């Protein structure tokens, strides 16, 4: 009922989603009762879907990388299939979006080079639906399951006095007739 408490709960849920989205630690390293938040909160799915859309959709190539050259024995200069001649190996992520996402996924579990955009959107919509259902049930419990009804007492018109009833029909006995001066 308090706006301050609502704001505090929102900040707490946002911060929990930020901690549990796969940047800080993989969900597999979180103990089970708390791991549920890593799968239920929508920030992880939003990051996973939007990074795939940003990096991997389309035929984009990013400069600064070169393909590995392998010799006849299969040994080459690199292990990932690409290298960056002007950057250290820790700063070389790949030439395509899928390679970049795979490089990020080595350290952060919220990235993947698989197209999971539809699944991520489904999880986010499911979360919104569950929140809406919980809100409706909580509102129903607060109201005691009763619907809001309009007031049943009739209101008096401001132009008429409640004690004097006058009819609009001049032949009516309740009509006072013409005034005489």
């Amino acid at each position: 009922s308090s706006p301050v408490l609502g704001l505090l709960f929102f900040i707490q849920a946002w911060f929990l989603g930020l901690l549990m989205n796969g940047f800080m630690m993989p969900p597999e390293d979180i103990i089970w009762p708390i791991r549920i938040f890593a799968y239920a909160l929508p920030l992880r799915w939003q990051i996973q879907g939007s990074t795939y859309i940003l990096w991997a959709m389309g035929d984009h190539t990013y400069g600064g990388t070169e393909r590995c050259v392998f010799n006849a024995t299969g040994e080459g200069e690199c292990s990932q299939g690409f290298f960056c001649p002007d950057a250290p190996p820790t700063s070389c992520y790949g030439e395509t979006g899928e390679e970049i996402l795979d490089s990020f996924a080595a350290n952060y579990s919220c990235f993947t080079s698989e197209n999971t955009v539809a699944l991520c959107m489904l999880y986010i919509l499911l979360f919104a639906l569950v929140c809406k259902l919980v809100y409706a049930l909580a509102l129903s419990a607060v109201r005691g399951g009763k619907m809001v009804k309009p007031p049943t007492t009739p209101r008096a018109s401001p132009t008429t006095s409640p004690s004097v009833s006058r009819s609009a029909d001049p032949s009516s006995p309740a009509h006072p007739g013409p005034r005489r001066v």
Side-chain angles (χ1 to χ4, degrees):
S1 65
S2 170
V4 175
L5 285 177
L7 182 63
L8 288 175
F9 281 129
F10 172 77
I11 291 173
Q12 179 251 344
W14 176 78
F15 188 69
L16 188 64
L18 189 64
L19 287 177
M20 305 278 175
N21 67 7
F23 274 133
M24 304 294 176
M25 64 182 74
E28 297 81 28
D29 291 347
I30 302 171
I31 60 173
W32 245 113
I34 301 171
R35 190 186 307 179
I36 294 169
F37 294 115
Y39 296 118
L41 294 174
L43 189 59
R44 174 181 181 200
W45 307 112
Q46 184 270 331
I47 289 174
Q48 187 174 354
S50 63
T51 54
Y52 183 84
I53 291 171
L54 178 68
W55 290 100
M57 282 195 162
D59 294 327
H60 304 292
T61 56
Y62 302 95
T65 59
E66 294 180 12
R67 292 283 146 208
C68 292
V69 178
F70 295 101
N71 59 22
T73 62
E75 295 175 7
E77 298 174 6
C78 57
S79 61
Q80 296 177 328
F82 59 87
F83 71 100
C84 301
D86 298 332
T90 57
S91 299
C92 187
Y93 297 112
E95 184 177 14
T96 65
E98 287 86 6
E99 291 173 349
I100 292 171
L101 288 174
D102 283 337
S103 296
F104 287 163
N107 294 322
Y108 306 108
S109 66
C110 59
F111 298 114
T112 180
S113 62
E114 298 174 17
N115 187 354
T116 59
V117 174
L119 185 64
C120 292
M121 290 181 69
L122 179 69
Y123 286 149
I124 292 170
L125 290 174
L126 185 65
F127 179 80
L129 182 68
V130 167
C131 286
K132 190 72 165 179
L133 183 65
V134 167
Y135 175 75
L137 291 174
L139 186 64
S140 161
V142 167
R143 294 280 311 144
K146 298 177 184 174
M147 293 189 59
V148 178
K149 296 180 183 177
T152 58
T153 58
R155 294 186 178 183
S157 174
T159 58
T160 62
S161 171
S163 61
V164 178
S165 172
R166 297 184 180 207
S167 174
D169 184 17
S171 62
S172 165
H175 193 273
R179 288 179 126 199
R180 296 185 188 177
V181 207

